[in-house]
Amino acid sequence: MSARRVCLAFAAAIAVASMPFASRAADPQEIVIGSILPLTGPSAQTGAGLRTAQTLAADLVNGHVSYPLPMVGKSGLPHLGHARIKLVFADSQGKPDQARAAAEQLITQEHAVALIGTYASSTTATASQVAERYGIPFLNPDSSAPSLTARGLKWFFRTTPNDATFAENFYQFFADLNRTKKIAVKKVAVVGEDGLFGTGAGDAEEEIGKRRGFTIVTRVAYPATTTEVNAEVQKVKAAAPDVVMMASYAPDALLFMRGFKDQGILLQGILAQDAGFIDPGFVKTEGKDAEGVFTREVFSLDIKHRNKAVPLIDQLFRLRFGDKPLDGNTARDIMGVLVLADAIDRAGSTKPDAIRTALQNTNIPGILTLMPWKQIKFDAQGQNVGGVGIIEQIQDGKYETVWPFDVAVKAPIWPMPAWKR
Amino acid sequence: MEALTTFAQLLAGGVLTGLVFALVAVGLTLVYGVMDVVNFAHGEFLMLAMYATLGLALIGLSPFAGLPLVAIALFLFGIVVYRVFIRRLLAGPPEATVFGTFGLLVLLQGLAQALFSSDFLSVPHPPLQGTLRFGGLAISQATLAEGAGALVLTAALFAFVEYTETGRAMRAVAEDRVAATLMGIDVQRVNGLAFGIGAACVGAAGALLMLSYPVFPTAGAPFALTAFVVVALGGFGSIQGALVGALLVGLLEVFGGFYLSPELKMVPVYLAYLAIVLVRPQGLLGRR
């Protein structure tokens, strides 16, 4: 290569390098939010959906088409000279140590003003520790382990309800049934697999039930890999509960359903913590026997009756994500970005302290969200106190929202139909 | 009265559960008895049989009609696996079969995951979904069919090994491989046959289990784990031992689960296992 060519190439390189600098000066400011998601690994499929959802939310904030949602359609953040938000993604691979490294990288190299993520409770736990150390706000839209907000962190905020909320919802549902239909539920059996999921849900169900004056007639924990549940079903039968609360995966959920039916156990209701009971195979396998089973959910497209943004956002999401509908995870992540953008805007600054104070003062009414929530308002631990779940019931082979009553599309069938022998 | 009904119910549950375990365990014990190979991929053979049954069900064959087809398919699959895989492992050090069959387990699970995804699938509208009632006792027809199938199968296998020429050859190989060869028995052929029959047994088991279980890539694993305990308890290589061991495990699991705690239901099973192998290392009906 001749000297002249080298010089030319060098000059061209300088010209190219200076271009983005020049154009950046003319653009409004860009505010970087670091997002940690499982983009590879076993949860990559979920991660891809969440990434699409968050990108959609950022575009909604930066755009100028308005929906009844916080911060949407104001062409960026008005209090910061219509600065645009920019999401920078980092991969957790679903592993706690990778999530920790991703948080470190986003804070030190990308200069993120706040972090969002990370879906799995275990990765959220480590990533939020890093944010705590650097004094950077961390918004968690989608992890449900109750322990996350019990760590006394100053910079951690969670918008989604946790597993204890769902247990609380079951009892609120009973109270509402009692108030409107004079239905009295007293005796509750708590059944769940003996892993983190079943134990956490079962503990909350038992503790909240006792506190609210219900009788927990039996607590059954069984190994999730069991191939028979004869003893477990006999325990439930002997305890003669009005309702059974279940936290089970698919094979064990099917074993219990068959056991309850074989033993002719008369239940007013089976209330499940989703998992096995919302598996696509559940209704297919159980057929008519699945009728009347209740399960909690975090979200349902039925919420369109409350906020007309839901079907619109669902359409936009489908366009971007291969016609897959908006679900609980993706809706929660869209809300997460909006809540964070709202806080940064109200802070009127990118200083971490100001954003943290703004998050503490967050107060968004539930009807301005995509969720069934009452509001978004954080307590001292950073947990959203307005979070609620939905209760669905299998009616005619479909999952229909039956609670909260203001979101419901169908009335609950209570008691659930007796087993057909 | 109530307590008595519960006891009877648990007894029935334990026996039927035990028979299901026996069904899965007989194939395992036969292969061990003849060629000293513990097939760690046994549960995955079961899983394959369950998928095969499901496939046949989707084209309209009920699990009962599908059973002989699945058993034959697994028999052929077993012979192929023996010919291309196990036979070579047998030529190596004893650990080779352990690692080899474990590798087969990982491979088959991975393949199933890739081909069928990790969803739970079940036979649409399986037969025998009703419940039989005898006074206070309630027994699911599907479990009864599985138990009955297991009894018939175990008896047939026992008769085959005990009274046929091929069965005698198998016992001879089990007794003394070298002497059997000297007597003109084709050890390779007998081994292959035993592996095929073991796989056919688990094939029949898979077809029957589809009456009441869903299938997914790791569906066979918990059954196989119990089958190992059953075989060790009853005596490696003993068909009657598998039946006795399976009934014992089924009863201990169900009674332990009820009178102790469901979380601890495997504890009496493993305690009994420890106690028995301490006193009789060869298992209840095993030969030293």
Side-chain angles (χ1 to χ4, degrees):
Chain A
M1 201 183 270
S2 73
R4 192 169 143 263
R5 279 192 150 188
V6 171
C7 280
L8 265 179
F10 198 60
I14 288 176
V16 170
S18 60
M19 257 162 29
F21 182 72
S23 65
R24 197 179 287 168
D27 262 0
Q29 196 197 344
E30 223 167 39
I31 292 168
V32 173
I33 296 173
S35 172
I36 303 162
L37 291 173
L39 299 174
T40 59
S43 305
Q45 193 87 34
T46 311
L50 299 182
R51 182 189 178 132
T52 309
Q54 292 189 4
T55 311
L56 172 61
D59 291 350
L60 290 169
V61 170
N62 295 333
H64 49 266
V65 181
S66 191
Y67 296 100
L69 291 170
M71 288 314 294
V72 172
K74 297 192 163 84
S75 310
L77 310 180
H79 292 107
L80 283 160
H82 289 280
R84 296 156 63 82
I85 58 168
K86 182 186 174 195
L87 289 169
V88 176
F89 292 96
D91 186 9
S92 73
Q93 299 173 19
K95 296 177 189 157
D97 55 326
Q98 282 298 326
R100 185 187 294 126
E104 194 93 31
Q105 180 224 333
L106 289 170
I107 294 170
T108 58
Q109 281 160 47
E110 302 289 344
H111 307 292
V113 302
L115 296 187
I116 188 165
T118 65
Y119 182 59
S121 291
S122 55
T123 51
T124 298
T126 57
S128 57
Q129 291 286 0
V130 176
E132 187 77 8
R133 185 149 44 81
Y134 283 97
I136 296 286
F138 190 106
L139 190 114
N140 167 233
D142 49 17
S143 306
S144 67
S147 58
L148 284 172
T149 39
R151 296 174 299 165
L153 299 190
K154 276 174 63 187
W155 298 86
F156 185 75
F157 297 87
R158 167 159 62 184
T159 45
T160 186
N162 59 44
D163 288 341
T165 316
F166 298 128
E168 189 87 51
N169 291 163
F170 284 160
Y171 293 105
Q172 188 57 47
F173 175 50
F174 297 153
D176 288 354
L177 280 176
N178 189 277
R179 188 167 46 78
T180 55
K181 296 187 171 179
K182 300 278 167 274
I183 290 164
V185 175
K186 289 192 185 72
K187 295 185 288 176
V188 178
V190 174
V191 178
E193 58 92 32
D194 65 2
L196 198 58
F197 161 57
T199 315
D203 286 349
E205 286 162 356
E206 188 171 351
E207 193 243 303
I208 295 166
K210 280 181 184 156
R211 176 152 46 79
R212 282 179 167 245
F214 289 82
T215 313
I216 308 298
V217 288
T218 187
R219 170 90 190 262
V220 177
Y222 61 91
T225 53
T226 190
T227 53
E228 58 82 27
V229 294
N230 288 296
E232 290 83 345
V233 169
Q234 287 304 321
K235 285 229 164 217
V236 173
K237 188 178 187 181
D242 297 330
V243 299
V244 181
M245 292 187 185
M246 306 268 323
S248 306
Y249 297 115
D252 32 330
L254 296 177
L255 288 174
F256 272 102
M257 289 295 288
R258 196 155 59 92
F260 290 155
K261 183 187 176 186
D262 285 346
Q263 298 303 316
I265 298 175
L266 275 182
L267 295 166
Q268 293 185 30
I270 294 173
L271 292 100
Q273 297 266 10
D274 65 17
F277 291 85
I278 58 161
D279 190 276
F282 183 76
V283 172
K284 239 187 264 173
T285 307
E286 287 294 316
K288 282 258 171 291
D289 291 335
E291 285 296 297
V293 169
F294 294 91
T295 177
R296 60 94 160 163
E297 255 300 352
V298 293
F299 172 81
S300 153
L301 285 171
D302 296 338
I303 292 167
K304 63 176 178 273
H305 298 281
R306 203 168 72 153
N307 186 337
K308 68 179 194 313
V310 174
L312 301 170
I313 302 293
D314 178 48
Q315 282 305 315
L316 289 177
F317 184 75
R318 279 170 197 260
L319 282 175
R320 294 192 183 199
F321 200 57
D323 206 30
K324 292 208 184 79
L326 200 61
D327 61 20
N329 289 329
T330 45
R332 282 190 296 188
D333 269 38
I334 289 177
M335 282 318 300
V337 171
L338 299 184
V339 168
L340 198 50
D342 171 66
I344 299 171
D345 182 54
R346 279 186 292 106
S349 153
T350 54
K351 290 210 171 62
D353 273 317
I355 298 174
R356 177 166 168 259
T357 310
L359 276 168
Q360 284 171 326
N361 295 329
T362 299
N363 192 354
I364 298 170
I367 50 163
L368 286 187
T369 72
L370 298 172
M371 311 306 293
W373 305 341
K374 293 195 206 93
Q375 67 186 135
I376 302 173
K377 195 173 165 63
F378 298 105
D379 64 12
Q381 272 91 44
Q383 172 65 43
N384 174 18
V385 293
V388 287
I390 279 179
I391 295 175
E392 295 184 334
Q393 186 177 32
I394 301 172
Q395 297 185 1
D396 290 325
K398 287 200 292 285
Y399 292 88
E400 306 278 10
T401 306
V402 296
W403 187 90
F405 292 149
D406 64 332
V407 176
V409 290
K410 287 274 169 75
I413 296 169
W414 192 281
M416 61 183 282
W419 305 106
K420 294 193 182 53
R421 293 191 174 178
Chain B
M1 187 61 211
E2 187 101 338
L4 205 65
T5 318
T6 307
F7 184 83
Q9 188 69 53
L10 290 172
L11 191 67
V15 168
L16 288 173
T17 301
L19 288 173
V20 173
F21 292 156
L23 187 61
V24 183
V26 283
L28 190 68
T29 207
L30 178 76
V31 168
Y32 181 85
V34 173
M35 61 182 97
D36 268 356
V37 168
V38 178
N39 178 15
F40 282 95
H42 191 68
E44 281 52 49
F45 283 27
L46 179 70
M47 175 265 293
L48 285 184
M50 290 169 88
Y51 274 115
T53 311
L54 175 68
L56 292 174
L58 292 178
I59 57 167
L61 280 180
S62 87
F64 289 115
L67 190 143
L69 292 179
V70 175
I72 291 168
L74 262 284
F75 174 74
L76 296 175
F77 177 71
I79 288 184
V80 170
V81 168
Y82 177 77
R83 292 262 149 162
V84 298
F85 194 60
I86 307 290
R87 194 173 57 174
R88 282 161 219 215
L89 295 176
L90 280 173
E95 308 86 61
T97 57
V98 174
F99 293 118
T101 55
F102 193 80
L104 194 60
L105 172 157
V106 176
L107 176 77
L108 291 176
Q109 270 190 14
L111 273 179
Q113 179 107 34
L115 288 175
F116 311 117
S117 86
S118 52
D119 289 350
F120 300 90
L121 305 170
S122 18
V123 167
H125 315 296
L128 300 183
Q129 288 311 291
T131 308
L132 298 173
R133 273 161 221 286
F134 312 94
L137 215 62
I139 292 166
S140 123
Q141 291 176 3
T143 320
L144 205 59
E146 286 160 7
L151 259 186
V152 170
L153 204 76
T154 313
L157 189 66
F158 179 75
F160 174 79
V161 172
E162 212 56 31
Y163 303 115
T164 65
E165 194 66 27
T166 322
R168 266 193 282 276
M170 279 180 185
R171 277 185 292 143
V173 172
E175 198 91 8
D176 190 331
R177 192 170 313 222
V178 180
T181 315
L182 295 176
M183 295 299 118
I185 294 173
D186 183 346
V187 173
Q188 293 295 353
R189 206 181 132 262
V190 169
N191 276 350
L193 214 52
F195 207 80
I197 292 172
C201 288
V202 89
L208 284 174
L209 283 182
M210 282 309 277
L211 290 175
S212 57
Y213 288 91
V215 59
F216 47 99
T218 52
F223 286 102
L225 190 68
T226 313
F228 290 129
V229 176
V230 163
V231 168
L233 260 184
F236 273 102
S238 162
I239 293 168
Q240 314 94 293
L243 189 60
V244 173
L247 287 173
L248 195 61
V249 169
L251 288 168
L252 283 173
E253 187 175 323
V254 172
F255 280 104
F258 188 79
Y259 292 107
L260 217 58
S261 153
E263 283 158 294
L264 303 176
K265 67 181 180 181
M266 291 315 280
V267 171
V269 174
Y270 292 123
L271 279 180
Y273 167 70
L274 274 179
I276 286 170
V277 292
L278 274 178
V279 182
R280 272 184 71 88
Q282 70 273 40
L284 285 175
L285 302 179
R287 276 171 307 219
R288 224 184 249 277

